[in-house]
Structures are given as C-alpha cells and as structure tokens.
Amino acid sequence: MPLLTLSDVTVRFGTGTRAGTVPRAALDAVDLEVAEHEIVCVLGPSGSGKSTLLRVVAGLQATDAGRVTLDGTDLSYVPVHRRGVGLMFQDHQLFPQRDVAGNVAFGLRMHGGSRDEQARRVEELLELVGLPGAGHRAVTTLSGGEQQRVALARALAPRPRLLMLDEPLGQLDRSLRERLVVELRGLFGRLGTTVLAVTHDQGEAFALADRVVVMREGRIAQNGTPLEVWQRPASAFVARFLGFDNVVPATVSDGAADTPWGEIPVPEGSATGEQSLLVRPGGVRLVDAAQGLRCTVEARTFRGSRVAVLLRPDCPGDVPPLEAECGLYAAPAEGATVGVVFEAEDVVVLDERTERPARPVRGATASP
Ligand code: ADP
C-alpha cells in the first residue's frame, strides 16, 4: 500500500470571471501515489498547481473534491500539526532571534523529551545535515546554503512520515544547488525518508527524484521515473517543458515520418498517423553538406563539454530550426553549411492521445 494517496483531488479558486464561466481548477481530479521511502518530485511551470498540491497534503488548503490518505488514514479531518508531515519551503523562515540549535529544536517542541534528549537530538540532526557543532551560531551569520541545511534539520527533527519540500533549493546559486541536491538524495536514502518535493527546476527534479510527476494546468501530464520521462516524454508539452525544441507535426507510417525536415526514420513500433515528433539533439547528426538536409549553422552555445548547434534548414517555406548536439571540437563554425541526417533511436513519436482533452470542471455551477 502506498504511504500517500491522492484520489481525484480537485481545488478551485474563485468563481469564474465572466457570467457563465467556471473557474479553471488549480488541481483537476489529481490521482497520485507515493510509496514509503520514495522520493517523488512534482515538476511543472509556474501556475500548474504544484504548491496547491503540497498545501492540500499538508492540510493548508481545503479541497473541493477528492481524498488524501496517509498510511491508510483519511486526512480530511486531521489538522495540520497532527498529519505527521514535515514541511520545508523555499523561504525557509528561520527565526533570526534564535541560534541554530534553537531553530532546530523548534521542530521538536511538540514532541516532549528532556532538555538533554532534545540537545542530543539537535546535535545529531546538525551532524546529519553537515553542520556539526554549529548549534550556537546565530542564523544571521550563516550562508544561504547553511540556512537551507538548518531548515532541513528543523523539518526532519520530528521524524515526519512524509517530508514535503517546496522549491527547496530555489534561492541558492546553481553550483551550490547541484551539490546540495546530490547530498539530499544521499541523506534521504540513508534515512529512508519519504519525500514529496515540488520544483520548477527540471535539473533539480531529475537529480533528486525516484519518480517525476510533470504537471500542466492542474493535471498530471506525465508520471514516471526520470529515465522514462527523459527518454519518452508523453507529449509535446512535456518535451518542450524539458527543454527539447525539435518538436514538429509529423505523419508517421511504418518506420518513417514525413516532417517539415523531410523524411525521418522512427523507432520500430511507433504510433502511426498524425502525431508530434521529437528529435533529441543527439539524434541530429552533422555530415557533409552534400548529404542529407542542407542547413546553415546559425548559432552555437557551449554547454560544458558539449555544444548546442542551432541550424537553419536551407529550404523554402516556414521550416523550423533544428538543434543538434556536438562534441566541443566537432562543432562547425557559425555560418558554415552542413548536411543533417537523423538517427532513429533519438526520435520519439509523441503520443498526444495521452493528454486528456479539456473538459468542464465537475460540480461547478455556472452563474446565470
Ligand atoms: P505553482 O505552484 O505550480 O506555481 P500554484 O499551485 O501556486 O501553482 O497555483 C495554481 C493556480 O491556482 C494558479 O493559477 C494560481 O494563480 C491559482 N491560485 C493559487 N493559490 C491561489 C489563491 N489563494 N487564490 C486564488 N488563486 C490561487
């Protein structure tokens, strides 16, 4: 049995702006399960309902329909502080007048225990988050990353059944975030913590999660392991959200697709008919200009040891640009003419039918 279950959870705000309209649901019949010890990251653009989902589970947001259960218990009538969930928000709101230990101990205040026991537990938590002996430091003297660790220690202090993180590393700079996210994953793995996190940062989600849930307009657009989502985005929306730009309409028949870039091979077993097609940049292979699709190199962007190459096809009509990926030394110069061939293993036929069509909000009454 999953630890956390959301069944058919719907939340609506407001009453619709015009007569006869119903408000769009911030969460629209969401079903989600989180298994014990699992790290699930909810990912999506701003306004897609991520925070609302967390707030529902925490008990900070009432639902219009649906049910949330934790360990089999319906949480409908369980107040926030009795839900056994820990929360860490982006603005971690440490108490500036308390020292580090005082902030961490705040997480223990409901749990009794002698002063000595509490002090031991605080020290244990500080060690866990990599701040041993920092108990007496003033929180105002800590760096952003250290403050984040204190906030994490405070959230872990009462040993929550479920730890919920809202944009946990949102305010830190990228290199620190990349380091901390790896540390966090290791820490949660060692502790066996069950985590539900939300973020708009796909790098963070993919590095932290066992499972990624992509949201769009209050609905789940895809739910899968990082590898599954990365390899097979469920729709053009998910593909574009992940940063893939090579997405075009295509007519797919057996083994090949007719696209604005010409005929492209597709993996065996791909859905046929009118579809959207994704070509991962790694599948856009640059060859001699006399072969394949002729393109001009419009721009190059250096990304570590790889180079993203933006190509403008040299053909009439409104043909979308293509992004290719090259090794550092193989990237052609801007303005060069190249040929392009496509590798089937990096082509994904996106099954648009996985996205549910828009439907009216259930239970909402339109005003006359
Ligand atoms: P995210 O966390 O993905 O940015 P939110 O859950 O904050 O998204 O918001 C989802 C939708 O609900 C948005 O359209 C937002 O404007 C709306 N919304 C969120 N909170 C409120 C509120 N308290 N009152 C009215 N609308 C809200």
Side-chain angles (χ1 to χ4, degrees), residues 13-14 24-26 44-53 61 166-167 198:
F13 291 110
R24 186 169 70 72
S46 176
S48 57
K50 306 181 297 294
S51 300
T52 304
L53 190 146
Q61 172 64 54
D166 190 355
E167 304 276 354
V198 310

Side-chain angles (χ1 to χ4, degrees), residues 13-37:
F13 291 110
T15 51
T17 46
R18 282 180 289 119
T21 64
V22 289
R24 186 169 70 72
L27 291 181
D28 186 2
V30 167
D31 293 322
L32 179 67
E33 293 185 344
V34 180
E36 186 133 34
H37 309 309

Side-chain angles (χ1 to χ4, degrees), residues 204-229:
E204 200 169 299
F206 280 83
L208 186 62
D210 297 318
R211 194 149 52 84
V212 172
V213 173
V214 184
M215 293 206 59
R216 176 191 195 182
E217 296 182 353
R219 296 174 183 173
I220 292 177
Q222 189 165 10
N223 183 347
T225 65
L227 190 66
E228 282 164 2
V229 175

